[in-house]
Amino acid sequence: MTDIYRIEPLPAPLAPDRAARLARVEAATLGHYLHSGFVDPGIRPLTGGARIAGAAVTVQIAGADSTLLYYAMDRVRPGDVLVIDRAGDRTHACWGGFMAAVAKIRGLAGVVIDGAVTDPAAIVAAGVPTWARRTSAITTKLLNLGGGFNVPVSIGGVAVTPGDAVLADDCGIAVIPPSRVDALTEIALKDQEEEGGWIERLEKGETLQDLVDIRAMLEKNGTEGTGV
């Protein structure tokens, strides 16, 4: 590799049991109490219904070149989430049916691309959940222009360090430092279980006031009887 490439070692993977537990969490549940770490919602899933969790393996490639992506795809591991920083390019599609088939063979949990893809039907058929900004018929080429593998990147306004946990579903993409995964997973799963119990109580005739003392909250702030 020349000095136009920066190649770093693979990060520690997210253990399968931790990844499976995190994948039970809805991204929107984390949104109840976190205000940062959420990727720009313009990066959307190609199909609905998927939820993935895994360790981020990053690629940074710019413009019309995707040489380093080929290098990366021989090194990714089952369960990884490939995160591709296109350095602002939204014109050239670096991902399509061929790479999706390779991702399936490699066992990737999912792919997140801050840029364009091509061959959306083939990507969906390959079965590896993929998030991207848009589709494009203009593809990247093997131009050997440089890039980074397993380097810190920016995806949808969020800094991603290799090895960060990525949780992605229909509602969004959350990037979580590995040290926070277990605590956040525990809190989120309890919240989801509690919410399910609340729905059952409402179906039996209880009110929201029975679940949360909203009246006391309003009275505390002097809003009772004001029409607020």
Side-chain angles (χ1 to χ4, degrees):
M1 292 291 177
T2 68
D3 58 6
I4 62 173
Y5 289 99
R6 179 182 169 192
I7 310 296
E8 300 294 342
L10 286 164
L14 188 63
D17 59 330
R18 296 177 74 201
R21 188 167 169 78
L22 179 59
R24 291 169 52 197
V25 174
E26 300 172 15
T29 301
L30 296 182
H32 289 321
Y33 35 82
L34 296 180
H35 300 282
S36 61
F38 294 95
V39 170
D40 178 357
I43 300 177
R44 299 289 303 155
L46 268 63
T47 57
R51 182 180 300 130
I52 63 164
V57 170
T58 67
V59 174
Q60 185 178 65
I61 48 177
D65 181 41
S66 60
T67 306
L68 192 62
L69 183 56
Y70 279 68
Y71 177 90
M73 292 303 289
D74 276 342
R75 288 158 179 79
V76 293
R77 305 159 301 195
D80 286 338
V81 176
L82 183 65
V83 176
I84 304 176
D85 178 357
R86 295 292 286 116
D89 185 284
R90 300 186 185 182
T91 300
H92 300 88
C94 69
W95 195 264
F98 173 73
M99 278 300 179
V102 177
K104 181 69 172 180
I105 293 168
R106 299 290 184 253
L108 284 178
V111 182
V112 177
I113 304 166
D114 194 346
V117 299
T118 196
D119 304 330
I123 294 172
V124 172
V128 177
T130 300
W131 284 253
R133 286 196 179 273
R134 54 174 298 211
T135 59
S136 175
I138 309 172
T139 66
T140 54
K141 288 81 176 172
L142 300 180
L143 302 177
N144 201 24
L145 298 180
F149 179 53
N150 283 317
V151 298
V153 297
S154 177
I155 299 293
V158 174
V160 181
T161 299
D164 281 348
V166 177
L167 171 67
D169 62 16
D170 286 350
C171 291
I173 304 167
V175 179
I176 308 165
S179 62
R180 301 191 66 191
V181 167
D182 294 331
L184 286 172
T185 299
E186 185 70 21
I187 293 169
L189 291 178
K190 286 182 178 179
D191 283 353
Q192 289 174 189
E193 182 178 358
E194 184 176 73
E195 185 176 86
W198 281 11
I199 291 172
E200 291 181 4
R201 290 173 61 182
L202 291 168
E203 288 174 340
K204 294 176 181 178
E206 293 190 53
T207 67
L208 293 175
Q209 179 64 39
D210 295 324
L211 305 177
V212 181
D213 194 354
I214 297 296
R215 183 178 297 278
M217 295 174 67
L218 297 179
E219 290 175 347
K220 180 179 178 180
N221 287 288
T223 55
E224 183 72 12
T226 66
V228 176

